[in-house]
Amino acid sequence: QDHARLADPDGEVLVKVHILANHYPVASGRYAADAFRRLGHVVSSEGPPHGRDIWGMTLPGVKAWANAPLSGEYDLVVVMDSDPAILDASQRYADVAPVVVWGVDNHVRDYSRPWIKRYYLAHRRVSLTAWDDASMVHLPCAYDDAWFYPSAIPFGQRAYDVCMIGVMYPERWKLVQQLKDAGLRVLAGTGLVYEDYRHAYHNSRVSLCISAARDVAQRVFETAAMGCLVVTDSCPDFELLKPRGLYLYDYPIGRQVIPLAEQIRTLLQHPDIAQTAIAASTAWAEPHNWVERAGALIDDWRSRG
């Protein structure tokens, strides 16, 4: 279909993007909406409002993500939620505009719907959505460079040895407790977001990233960008992303995997090596931001006519 277009003063065609997602205070859809706007596109969104509630808690000092309706036609409808109700509801737009998925949860959920024109999925080799190169593009997770930038605190002056902010699955708590028992200073838990999340990692030497399902999660990019030494488990998509400066803690040395606490203590005892790795990982992460991802999606969509 031919849909209305807007143009900026330089003549570049802008896109009317409509995002469908649960409106949690922290959500991939919210980061994407801001990224599309920073590129100059017109963005609207809709979905169930959740105020400041997420992860079974109410976050203090965080603005809710409000629905932003837009009258008129849309050029592109982007589903940014793995919630089956949101995916199913997107069908009503199929006769209005192309409907695509931009999904970061395909390591745990299948996004497939017959009316979806194209899938931009964060995880390639652990995807639960059966991969089809004709309809799918690998668009990995990203970081928001407006929020997450390198720490100004010198490596040796940071208050914490290790930081891990996220949903604390049992395996994550188990490893955190091992680190604490070894005498390392650890900050871990759920609920710090935006500037509080940034402050936590800015004041930490090591970012411990433990995947939920061998997926390269958003915090890998965020904490590399913030200047932490990223210690992570092995993820199949690292073969595609070719990271530099990340430390794989589950990689066997000889015939065994050294206990995590011992590995981190050794790293901290060699700050020059750690900071060389940080410089490499920060440089590697730099282009993996939400604005670049949003631009890549628009470019791919445009290239398909």
Side-chain angles (χ1 to χ4, degrees), residues 112-175:
S112 300
R113 295 295 187 279
W115 56 87
I116 301 297
K117 298 297 185 183
R118 197 128 173 94
Y119 298 84
Y120 301 90
L121 301 177
H123 313 290
R124 174 64 180 87
R125 294 187 172 172
V126 294
S127 178
L128 293 189
T129 303
W131 202 270
D132 174 13
D133 286 331
S135 63
M136 296 177 184
V137 173
H138 184 209
L139 202 64
C141 289
Y143 75 99
D144 189 316
D145 56 353
W147 285 104
F148 308 122
Y149 42 79
S151 175
I153 302 174
F155 185 78
Q157 296 177 23
R158 298 178 189 179
Y160 298 100
D161 296 318
V162 181
C163 184
M164 184 168 60
I165 306 301
V167 178
M168 299 304 293
Y169 303 116
E171 177 62 21
R172 293 176 177 176
W173 273 131
K174 179 181 177 181
L175 290 175

Side-chain angles (χ1 to χ4, degrees), residues 29-297:
R30 189 172 194 175
Y31 283 120
D34 184 59
F36 283 127
R37 290 189 182 100
R38 289 168 65 185
L39 287 170
H41 301 299
V42 178
V43 182
S44 57
S45 68
E46 71 173 292
H50 294 274
R52 294 184 290 113
D53 295 340
I54 190 172
W55 307 310
M57 61 181 69
T58 299
L59 303 182
V62 175
K63 291 184 179 179
W65 179 25
N67 276 260
L70 178 68
S71 60
E73 293 183 318
Y74 308 118
D75 296 321
L76 186 64
V77 175
V78 182
V79 184
M80 296 212 62
D81 208 302
S82 60
D83 182 345
I86 301 292
L87 284 161
D88 291 343
S90 70
Q91 184 175 14
R92 70 179 185 268
Y93 287 95
D95 293 331
V96 177
V99 180
V100 303
V101 157
W102 184 357
V104 299
D105 291 330
N106 64 305
H107 59 303
V108 291
R109 276 183 167 172
D110 181 5
Y111 288 86
S112 300
R113 295 295 187 279
W115 56 87
I116 301 297
K117 298 297 185 183
R118 197 128 173 94
Y119 298 84
Y120 301 90
L121 301 177
H123 313 290
R124 174 64 180 87
R125 294 187 172 172
V126 294
S127 178
L128 293 189
T129 303
W131 202 270
D132 174 13
D133 286 331
S135 63
M136 296 177 184
V137 173
H138 184 209
L139 202 64
C141 289
Y143 75 99
D144 189 316
D145 56 353
W147 285 104
F148 308 122
Y149 42 79
S151 175
I153 302 174
F155 185 78
Q157 296 177 23
R158 298 178 189 179
Y160 298 100
D161 296 318
V162 181
C163 184
M164 184 168 60
I165 306 301
V167 178
M168 299 304 293
Y169 303 116
E171 177 62 21
R172 293 176 177 176
W173 273 131
K174 179 181 177 181
L175 290 175
V176 164
Q177 192 58 52
Q178 290 176 8
L179 299 181
K180 290 182 176 180
D181 290 345
L184 293 167
R185 290 169 290 177
V186 183
L187 176 62
T190 305
L192 296 182
V193 299
Y194 300 118
E195 62 262 62
D196 292 329
Y197 178 92
R198 180 181 68 224
H199 294 334
Y201 280 107
H202 274 186
N203 211 16
S204 302
R205 282 176 277 279
V206 171
S207 163
L208 179 58
C209 297
I210 302 171
S211 68
R214 303 189 72 204
D215 53 298
V216 183
Q218 195 164 303
R219 71 177 56 81
V220 171
F221 301 99
E222 290 170 341
T223 59
M226 287 190 283
C228 296
L229 175 61
V230 176
V231 175
T232 175
D233 57 328
S234 305
C235 299
D237 280 351
F238 282 150
E239 294 183 23
L240 304 173
L241 292 164
K242 303 187 185 309
R244 300 187 304 278
L246 306 189
Y247 187 88
L248 304 181
Y249 76 81
D250 57 351
Y251 191 82
I253 299 174
R255 295 185 177 181
Q256 64 178 336
V257 175
I258 304 300
L260 177 61
E262 184 177 334
Q263 294 186 57
I264 289 180
R265 193 179 298 283
T266 299
L267 290 168
L268 295 178
Q269 288 171 348
H270 297 85
D272 291 344
I273 294 175
Q275 290 177 88
T276 297
I278 287 171
S281 62
T282 301
W284 164 75
E286 192 275 332
H288 293 285
N289 60 71
W290 281 102
V291 171
E292 291 295 327
R293 296 284 189 260
L297 187 153

Side-chain angles (χ1 to χ4, degrees), residues 118 120 296-305:
R118 197 128 173 94
Y120 301 90
L297 187 153
I298 294 295
D299 288 346
D300 178 82
W301 172 68
R302 281 173 166 162
S303 72
R304 302 180 69 80

